[in-house]
Amino acid sequence: MTALPHTRSRTAHWAATALALAALLGGTALLQPSGATANPSGEAARGPAPEAASYPLDCGADEAEVLASGSADFDGDGRAEAVAVARCGSAGGTPPSAVFVLAPAAEDERPEVVATLVPASEGMSVQGLKVTPHAISATLLGYSSSDVPRCCPDKQRKVRWEWRDGRFVLVPGPVAGAA
């Protein structure tokens, strides 16, 4: 079966498509909603440095380590907060993780922990942290009993914390394996 002449793509078709796409992207970069402001310094998008914070973790002689982080301006004040997954450093094993929200601090001060979303005392590992302007999501890994080796979690659940009415609200995902 032969193709109709108008169904064959040619270089001119690809060039026209690329030109149209470039024009669309260029136009969206120039157009902004009324009242939009630019922040060339990028400070609103970047929160406090999670490595500079002091976490409420009982690590003994070990130090806390930040495994993952992200930032967003949850409260709309123009200053981004940081979200950090932290745990005690360890030479072996898998110490439990915790999820903290950090507020920006004065220039010479450490960021302040303003919320603990997952305390280390729950014995969870946290993976897949994702931070957006109105929510934080992650996968929590846990253990069904104390007989399960701490290296190998056998429970998993996706969770999401949404910023609502000035606080984070936990929205659990479905339990893995549940019908």
Side-chain angles (χ1 to χ4, degrees):
M1 173 181 247
T2 60
L4 298 173
H6 66 279
T7 61
R8 284 182 254 147
S9 61
R10 298 193 174 171
T11 305
H13 295 119
W14 288 109
T17 301
L19 185 61
L21 184 58
L24 176 68
L25 292 175
T28 58
L30 295 175
L31 297 176
Q32 293 185 16
S34 63
T37 58
N39 182 0
S41 69
E43 288 180 27
R46 209 173 333 147
E51 295 78 18
S54 177
Y55 296 100
L57 296 170
D58 184 12
C59 296
D62 295 320
E63 291 188 24
E65 62 183 355
V66 176
L67 303 176
S69 64
S71 59
D73 181 6
F74 297 110
D75 56 10
D77 67 354
R79 301 180 329 151
E81 291 76 31
V83 179
V85 176
R87 71 176 185 194
C88 293
S90 174
T94 307
S97 304
V99 178
F100 301 103
V101 179
L102 308 169
E107 193 169 317
D108 294 336
E109 296 179 17
R110 288 180 172 217
E112 178 186 0
V113 174
V114 294
T116 301
L117 303 179
V118 177
S121 61
E122 289 187 9
M124 304 273 193
S125 291
V126 180
Q127 292 184 339
L129 178 71
K130 182 178 178 187
V131 179
T132 64
H134 301 288
I136 302 163
S137 59
T139 301
L140 303 180
L141 305 175
Y143 308 91
S144 59
S145 74
S146 59
D147 295 332
V148 177
R150 298 295 105 174
C151 66
C152 311
D154 62 342
K155 295 287 186 183
Q156 174 179 313
R157 188 165 204 183
K158 293 188 183 296
V159 293
R160 178 178 169 93
W161 295 270
E162 294 179 358
W163 181 255
R164 297 184 195 161
D165 300 321
R167 65 186 184 98
F168 288 102
V169 176
L170 176 62
V171 181
V175 175

